[in-house]
Amino acid sequence: MLKDMYQPNPEFAKNANIGSMEQYWELQNRATEDYEGFWKSFAEEKIDWFAPFTSVLDEFNAPFVKWFDGGKLNVAHQCIDRHLDTKKNKAAIIFEGDRGDKEVITYLDLYYNVNKFANLLKEDFGVKKGDRVVIYMPMIPEAAYAMLACARIGAIHSIVFGGFSSEALRDRIEDADAKVVITADGAYRKTKPYMLKPVVDEALKGETPVKKVLVVERNNEEVTWVAGRDYSYNELIQDKSATCDAEPMDSEDPLFLLYTSGSTGKPKGVQHNTAGYILWAQMTMEWVFDVKDNDTYWCTADIGWITGHTYIVYGPLAMGATTVMFEGVITFPDAGRPWKMVQEHRINQFYTAPTAIRVLHKMGEGEPAKYDLSSLKVLGTVGEPIDPPAWKWYYEEVGQSKCAIVDTYWQTETGGHIVSPLPGATPIKPACATLPLPGIMAEILDPETGEKVGEGESGYMCITRPWPSQIRGVWGDEERYKSSYFGDVKKDGKPVYFTGDGAVYSGDGYITITGRTDDVINVSGHRMGTAEVEAAIKKHDNVAAVAVVGKPHELKGEGIFAYVVLKSAEGFADEVEEVKAINTVIKQEIGNIALCDDMIFVPDLPKTRSGKIMRRILRSIAKGEKITQDISTLEDPSIVAKIEAMVNCATC
Ligand code: WT7
């Protein structure tokens, strides 16, 4: 037995969907022995098929795979229509606005709203099956209606996080060749209106594939309307019919794209398809959050990230749960806001990110104690490894030492959880994602040999068999799909899916994720490609060269540290001004999330004779570590000491 283990609450385990380790192993062994049989039985049980599938898994063209081929279904039907017989008056979405305004949307309301939205897209905008629709929206119920309306008519949505800049939005629109954008005038943040529509206007300047823009009027602030292009949702929706047939979709028809950072400058359009995605979204909701019929579940993510897709909208609604959507900021008006919401809505499952926990802890140490949090049963975290102090505070102060903490490890490409405790079964260990979920063949492999590493050893976090909710492709780039995920590790001579993360077996087969192995950094639980930030910084006229690395950050997990070589010192009177100017470019190119925490101007970068930048050295310097690497192969080894001196001076 591992030290520091926390056993599941026995009261909770009694009624849990998976209530013991015996049950866990029974499921996982079944999957190991009869992989297709395992998935076949769940697909048949969980999905309301329009037509049954004829094969379970087709690996003929691996790594391109097909799940449940021949089957017909519709995700909006799975998430809404099929619940109407038993839950039409149940709350599907509970919305809490930034200013405390509340709205309860029942499953029947949701049905009507989504149907009308779908009819609007079809009739007024000419959206057809297979068309790409970009959604650039705040956290309001209409964002969920928009997603489900697309799913209903077979359009492929691509949500762009509302914090991304017009340039980032334009890139994603162009890559997906979207003909429609759905947005809002703006929304509210800390009781004040903020705007989104002007960003869309900027993104659509010049040549664009976009023909029409739908604007949800949320804050009623003044916006520009381009005649023949921009339309008010609030007006058009008025006369729409509340019935709209759900398009029968093939199991492998695309459901959505979601762009994510990789190790090159250009974000990847991760493609998820219909049946496998919705099946696993639903199953993990049932297993990992153990949501019961009368429960209220709240995930604080934004719909612009995969967590918002799978665990605010698709997963909860597919299982017929009540999901909370929150427009506001969790630390406003004070760091007790989430706990006040838990008390008021009697929230049973709460899912957030380590960065949020650290902020809530730091800003509101004693806040949880002021509220009645007795409704809570399961607490979840996602996005980065959670540090033990944050884990402890979450467990003791928020969960009152009686809730399971599910440290869910997954990523945009996996569609749903991959490695996670089950709240009624798995003994948990602080800051450990524990075991692969039943049906997921996740293993830590030695990248050289492809062998599973031993206890206490670290290696690459891989998934050795295809799983239903896996990424189906990188939009428009088959090669990139293969090389990004199936190029690095081979097991028994066959390429397997590599997540990009390192991990270690930390006893009893438990998996502890140690972080990215590539040039991707994790800022507040979001992936940021260093190459993407570098490309943005290079757009500044006076920048000759730049290298970006991650540096541990107290609240964000990792912060962005940039080493910049300027073209000329001319006009460079003020370092502060130069930093500001470069940050302005980053803001325009990517958005506030990519702003640098540290920026230092250096005479040159440490490069090998062939011109390769030695990032490892730069990472060590940023962390204040001693340089242990051999620097004799550098073009100019003396640069290392110079940079070190500058960094020490700047941070001293
Ligand atoms: C990367 C995925 C999954 C939704 C949010 C981010 C890191 C995620 C954990 C965890 C340790 C984690 C990994 C992963 N990550 N969850 N529980 N423990 N690391 O989605 O932007 O696709 O980022 O986040 O590095 O690869 P994403």
Side-chain angles (χ1 to χ4, degrees):
M1 250 314 175
L2 291 160
K3 280 198 304 214
D4 301 329
M5 291 277 238
Y6 294 73
Q7 296 300 323
N9 180 334
E11 276 308 302
F12 177 86
K14 256 192 242 163
N15 295 312
N17 290 330
I18 300 179
S20 67
M21 283 314 280
E22 287 70 40
Q23 242 181 304
Y24 166 82
W25 283 114
E26 194 263 317
L27 282 164
Q28 187 62 319
N29 292 339
R30 221 174 95 200
T32 310
E33 281 152 27
D34 177 14
Y35 197 60
E36 293 197 15
F38 174 90
W39 287 111
K40 177 175 186 281
S41 70
F42 283 110
E44 283 170 351
E45 178 193 327
K46 303 288 177 189
I47 291 181
D48 196 6
W49 296 96
F50 295 173
F53 52 90
T54 47
S55 84
V56 179
L57 169 61
D58 176 350
E59 291 182 81
F60 185 72
N61 203 12
F64 298 92
V65 295
K66 288 181 185 170
W67 280 95
F68 314 120
D69 207 23
K72 296 257 184 209
L73 73 162
N74 182 284
V75 164
H77 171 92
Q78 179 75 8
C79 290
I80 310 170
D81 308 28
R82 74 184 189 103
H83 304 309
L84 294 180
D85 281 348
T86 52
K87 307 177 193 262
K88 65 178 184 295
N89 294 323
K90 174 174 173 170
I93 299 174
I94 295 178
F95 171 68
E96 179 159 327
D98 173 74
R99 295 154 306 154
D101 44 320
K102 296 186 175 73
E103 191 186 349
V104 176
I105 298 120
T106 66
Y107 273 92
L108 191 59
D109 295 330
L110 185 63
Y111 175 76
Y112 290 141
N113 292 334
V114 169
N115 286 348
K116 288 183 191 173
F117 209 128
N119 283 328
L120 188 165
L121 292 178
K122 273 206 294 204
E123 293 164 16
D124 297 336
F125 280 26
V127 177
K128 290 188 291 295
K129 181 175 170 177
D131 288 346
R132 273 80 58 211
V133 172
V134 163
I135 299 178
Y136 187 69
M137 290 275 271
M139 285 291 292
I140 56 176
E142 288 79 4
Y145 306 161
M147 295 164 77
L148 291 157
C150 287
R152 192 161 194 92
I153 62 178
I156 305 166
H157 63 67
S158 171
I159 306 189
V160 178
F161 170 60
F164 277 121
S165 70
S166 56
E167 275 299 318
L169 176 59
R170 189 212 308 272
D171 289 346
R172 286 157 177 76
I173 288 170
E174 278 175 2
D175 191 82
D177 195 21
K179 67 182 208 184
V180 165
V181 174
I182 304 173
T183 187
D185 44 8
Y188 297 96
R189 186 184 293 134
K190 301 188 181 180
T191 73
K192 306 220 166 44
Y194 74 92
M195 304 306 288
L196 289 170
K197 175 65 166 52
V199 185
V200 175
D201 292 335
E202 189 62 35
L204 298 184
K205 278 203 178 136
E207 284 269 311
T208 167
V210 172
K211 302 279 179 291
K212 297 227 181 321
V213 176
L214 186 66
V215 184
V216 177
E217 292 173 90
R218 162 73 181 148
N219 63 18
N220 296 301
E221 293 291 307
E222 192 85 29
V223 292
T224 311
W225 296 90
V226 175
R229 187 194 75 182
D230 302 348
Y231 297 85
S232 161
Y233 163 85
N234 308 51
E235 281 171 24
L236 293 186
I237 206 73
Q238 297 297 337
D239 64 355
K240 291 293 163 298
S241 156
T243 54
C244 172
D245 287 341
E247 185 77 27
M249 303 296 286
D250 289 337
S251 290
E252 288 293 345
D253 276 333
L255 177 65
F256 65 82
L257 307 180
L258 183 57
Y259 284 80
T260 188
S261 296
S263 43
T264 67
K266 194 172 175 273
K268 299 177 272 201
V270 172
Q271 181 186 330
H272 281 290
N273 289 0
T274 302
Y277 172 80
I278 200 66
L279 175 66
W280 191 235
Q282 182 177 330
M283 286 172 68
T284 47
M285 271 311 292
E286 294 174 2
W287 285 350
V288 176
F289 295 118
D290 206 84
V291 177
K292 296 287 189 269
D293 198 38
N294 194 37
D295 283 354
T296 303
Y297 159 91
W298 179 23
C299 165
T300 68
D302 187 282
I303 47 131
W305 309 112
I306 190 69
T307 310
H309 286 61
T310 310
Y311 297 113
I312 295 178
V313 179
Y314 287 121
L317 298 176
M319 73 164 293
T322 298
T323 180
V324 173
M325 245 181 123
F326 177 50
E327 179 193 36
V329 175
I330 53 167
T331 49
F332 185 84
D334 55 50
R337 178 77 178 263
W339 321 129
K340 183 165 180 275
M341 282 178 64
V342 167
Q343 172 177 296
E344 282 180 10
H345 298 285
R346 302 199 181 185
I347 283 161
N348 306 99
Q349 294 85 10
F350 178 72
Y351 191 28
T352 195
T355 182
I357 299 166
R358 288 191 293 266
V359 170
L360 290 167
H361 182 191
K362 190 167 178 208
M363 291 178 62
E365 167 102 57
E367 288 295 329
K370 295 185 189 161
Y371 299 92
D372 177 3
L373 305 181
S374 59
S375 56
L376 287 172
K377 295 187 283 190
V378 179
L379 299 174
T381 93
V382 60
E384 58 175 307
I386 178 169
D387 45 299
W391 193 96
K392 190 166 178 282
W393 185 75
Y394 201 31
Y395 186 79
E396 290 173 358
E397 302 304 319
V398 180
Q400 298 166 355
S401 303
K402 69 173 179 55
C403 298
I405 293 191
V406 288
D407 182 346
T408 62
Y409 166 74
W410 59 300
Q411 49 185 192
T412 304
E413 293 86 345
T414 66
H417 304 148
I418 289 301
V419 179
S420 172
L422 294 163
T426 320
I428 49 176
K429 199 174 76 150
C432 176
T434 75
L435 297 167
L437 288 171
I440 302 296
M441 301 302 151
E443 287 181 319
I444 308 173
L445 302 181
D446 179 324
E448 302 299 323
T449 62
E451 302 276 342
K452 188 170 168 170
V453 305
E455 284 299 338
E457 288 176 20
S458 56
Y460 281 18
M461 190 69 243
C462 295
I463 307 173
T464 56
R465 296 225 56 188
W467 67 104
S469 68
Q470 83 176 51
I471 175 177
R472 290 304 196 276
V474 172
W475 187 253
D477 199 341
E478 290 198 351
E479 257 328 293
R480 200 167 174 205
Y481 167 71
K482 286 196 245 175
S483 63
S484 305
Y485 305 106
F486 300 92
D488 291 325
V489 189
K490 285 198 175 90
K491 188 185 173 169
D492 302 327
K494 273 207 321 215
V496 294
Y497 179 89
F498 171 44
T499 58
D501 287 303
V504 53
Y505 282 119
S506 49
D508 283 2
Y510 273 30
I511 292 168
T512 298
I513 305 294
T514 50
R516 303 288 307 186
T517 61
D518 52 11
D519 286 327
V520 170
I521 53 186
N522 188 321
V523 184
S524 300
H526 300 298
R527 240 192 284 176
M528 189 51 65
T530 50
E532 212 175 319
V533 182
E534 288 167 4
I537 294 177
K538 278 186 198 148
K539 296 244 162 124
H540 186 278
D541 289 344
N542 200 21
V543 171
V546 55
V548 161
V549 298
K551 176 188 170 181
H553 185 282
E554 195 195 345
L555 296 175
K556 297 182 184 178
E558 274 189 292
I560 304 178
F561 193 118
Y563 296 89
V564 180
V565 183
L566 293 175
K567 280 185 189 153
S568 77
E570 252 170 70
F572 174 67
D574 190 338
E575 206 167 295
V576 177
E577 285 306 312
E578 196 73 20
V579 170
K580 259 198 210 155
I582 292 176
N583 268 328
T584 305
V585 178
I586 297 174
K587 227 165 133 166
Q588 281 161 6
E589 293 293 316
I590 306 174
N592 283 338
I593 43 172
L595 291 181
C596 294
D597 298 277
D598 296 277
M599 195 180 298
I600 194 130
F601 298 105
V602 292
D604 203 352
L605 298 170
K607 277 182 275 182
T608 59
R609 285 191 195 98
S610 59
K612 194 173 167 327
I613 297 170
M614 295 291 284
R615 271 161 212 289
R616 267 196 309 147
I617 294 178
L618 294 173
R619 265 196 292 267
S620 301
I621 298 177
K623 285 184 193 159
E625 289 170 358
K626 263 200 119 45
I627 308 292
T628 53
Q629 294 97 329
D630 175 18
I631 59 168
S632 64
T633 56
L634 293 183
E635 195 181 50
D636 171 15
S638 74
I639 195 71
V640 175
K642 285 186 205 149
I643 297 176
E644 261 184 311
M646 294 178 86
V647 171
N648 289 339
C649 175
T651 51
C652 63

